[in-house]
Amino acid sequence: MYKKIAAIFVLCITVYSNSAMAQKISDDKVILVIHGGAGTIVKKNMSAETEAQYIEALQASLRAGYAILTEGGSSLEAVEHAIAVMEDSPLFNAGKGAVFTHDGKNELDASIMTGKDGKAGAVAGVTTIKNPIRAAIAVMQKSNHVMLAGKGAELFAQNNGLAMVDPSYFYTERRWKALQRLLKKDSLRVELDHDEKNTVIPPVDMDSKFGTVGCVALDHAGNITAGTSTGGMTNKKFGRVGDSPIIGAGTYANKEVGVSCTGWGEFYIRQVAAYDVAALMNYKGSTVQDATAEVIRKIGAAGGDGGIIALDRNGNVAMPFNTAGMYRGYVTDKGEVVVQIYK
Ligand code: ASP
């Protein structure tokens, strides 16, 4: 089946300018959009091999979600699988490739929201759950709560039969080296995992920088789901939790739109960024392009950076960011896959 789907896929790496950000991205109906993190992603720093790996991983994620949607699956299932593909890849700062905390641990956050019923689930600061997005879904479906953190979340995941791993599963050399570099430079500084201006000593090691993942999907029934998963920020400490597991900040969905964010989490929390996109569309009548561009503008004006993906109920997609690049892609109802990296 994958072969059949692959045959109709068209890969297209495009370049577009800042000024085009609030313009319509695709004339066709988009049914699934993903991001793999925003940051200092510039072509001159990227080897052809690394670029090819990212493109392949983004395509694999899009295909996983597309296959589910075209077989009549729900947007929730599509988001779960598209995100799990990226969580299982060491390339992204989520699941397997999560960054290290100040203490040399990996503490992961994730959240999910279904627009049709306004239900949501999230986990924060977990260290032994292989796919935190699945734990977030379990919290939404099998508990009376929205967010579970730390040990409680892990016990809950285990009791619900989710795949558990030893914390060492999340060790990757490149992330470990990224922490060591930061500890040497400035042990108090938190690497925001995104943008060159936030690093103390350039050049930034490209490998250490990016990768929170997110997905928004629209299914045959017209239902929208949004999800986000991350390892947070390199060198984070004291139980720091970013925007990714916070409903309204890193993730939001209603009947009109689904939103997933990536960027400097503290700014997204203060801006209530994901909900702000939905609010601008609801109260002001903004398009998804204008609403996301406005929220990115506000994040930037406050001193933060990052990106947003959003998909409305008509299949209009937006993917603005104010960093050098953002790993991102979408698939249309006709099976056209588009992957983009740079500005
Ligand atoms: N927003 C995430 C956080 O602050 C990081 C990211 O998007 O890369 O934890």
Side-chain angles (χ1 to χ4, degrees):
M1 179 196 62
Y2 273 114
K3 267 196 187 147
K4 202 176 109 203
I5 292 167
I8 54 168
F9 277 10
V10 180
L11 169 68
C12 155
I13 301 169
T14 57
V15 176
Y16 63 84
S17 70
N18 265 333
S19 60
M21 273 180 183
Q23 285 166 16
K24 200 163 188 208
I25 289 177
S26 171
D27 284 335
D28 291 324
K29 184 176 173 181
V30 170
I31 55 172
L32 189 119
V33 56
I34 59 171
H35 68 75
T40 316
I41 310 168
V42 281
K43 198 166 175 62
K44 70 175 167 54
N45 291 342
M46 178 91 75
S47 73
E49 197 193 341
T50 306
E51 185 179 282
Q53 285 172 356
Y54 273 103
I55 289 170
E56 204 180 301
L58 292 166
Q59 284 181 290
S61 167
L62 289 166
R63 282 178 187 145
Y66 180 76
I68 286 165
L69 291 173
T70 50
E71 281 167 13
S74 68
S75 56
L76 173 61
E77 291 167 307
V79 168
E80 174 191 345
H81 284 84
I83 288 187
V85 166
M86 292 189 280
E87 285 181 334
D88 291 343
S89 163
L91 293 174
F92 303 101
N93 173 21
K96 173 71 185 150
V99 299
F100 283 92
T101 67
H102 182 72
D103 297 328
K105 296 184 180 138
N106 307 96
E107 295 178 0
L108 291 74
D109 306 327
S111 66
I112 191 94
M113 186 163 191
T114 46
K116 68 168 180 189
D117 49 15
K119 287 189 175 166
V123 292
V126 296
T127 60
T128 58
I129 301 173
K130 183 168 181 271
N131 293 106
I133 193 67
R134 297 205 159 109
I137 293 170
V139 171
M140 175 174 78
Q141 293 179 329
K142 297 174 181 166
S143 84
N144 294 323
H145 308 294
V146 170
M147 187 191 286
L148 297 179
K151 288 277 167 262
E154 287 167 358
L155 196 58
F156 176 82
Q158 194 166 8
N159 290 344
N160 281 282
L162 295 190
M164 306 300 288
V165 290
D166 186 83
S168 62
Y169 165 79
F170 299 107
Y171 176 90
T172 55
E173 204 185 341
R174 62 187 269 223
R175 301 297 193 196
W176 181 252
K177 281 186 178 158
L179 174 66
Q180 301 315 310
R181 263 197 320 276
L182 266 188
L183 291 176
K184 251 187 240 155
K185 284 178 199 166
D186 177 354
S187 68
L188 292 177
R189 203 174 68 78
V190 173
E191 177 151 299
L192 296 166
D193 214 44
H194 299 294
D195 199 277
E196 208 160 293
K197 74 175 187 272
N198 297 319
T199 64
V200 174
I201 304 168
V204 172
D205 181 327
M206 292 296 295
D207 277 354
S208 73
K209 298 297 293 172
F210 328 106
T212 287
V213 306
C215 178
V216 185
L218 170 65
D219 61 29
H220 281 297
N223 295 322
I224 300 169
T225 298
T228 311
S229 181
T230 189
M233 303 191 304
T234 301
N235 205 20
K236 67 180 182 181
K237 43 191 176 294
F238 309 128
R240 182 266 184 188
V241 174
D243 60 311
S244 305
I246 298 178
I247 297 302
T251 303
Y252 189 75
N254 60 19
K255 291 194 173 89
E256 299 296 315
V257 67
V259 185
S260 171
C261 302
T262 175
W264 192 341
E266 280 69 11
F267 288 88
Y268 282 74
I269 294 170
R270 288 188 286 252
Q271 186 60 44
V272 202
Y275 176 72
D276 204 18
V277 171
L280 283 164
M281 292 176 68
N282 186 18
Y283 299 132
K284 202 179 166 190
S286 300
T287 63
V288 69
Q289 287 83 22
D290 288 343
T292 49
E294 172 67 4
V295 174
I296 286 293
R297 192 198 59 73
K298 288 197 231 174
I299 296 270
D305 57 2
I308 296 176
I309 57 167
L311 180 62
D312 75 13
R313 71 189 168 99
N314 297 315
N316 296 307
V317 70
M319 313 185 289
F321 52 92
N322 66 359
T323 49
M326 178 166 81
Y327 297 110
R328 62 202 187 279
Y330 62 83
V331 57
T332 68
D333 59 350
K334 293 182 183 134
E336 184 194 14
V337 164
V338 176
V339 171
Q340 302 173 328
I341 298 178
Y342 312 105
K343 202 165 254 180

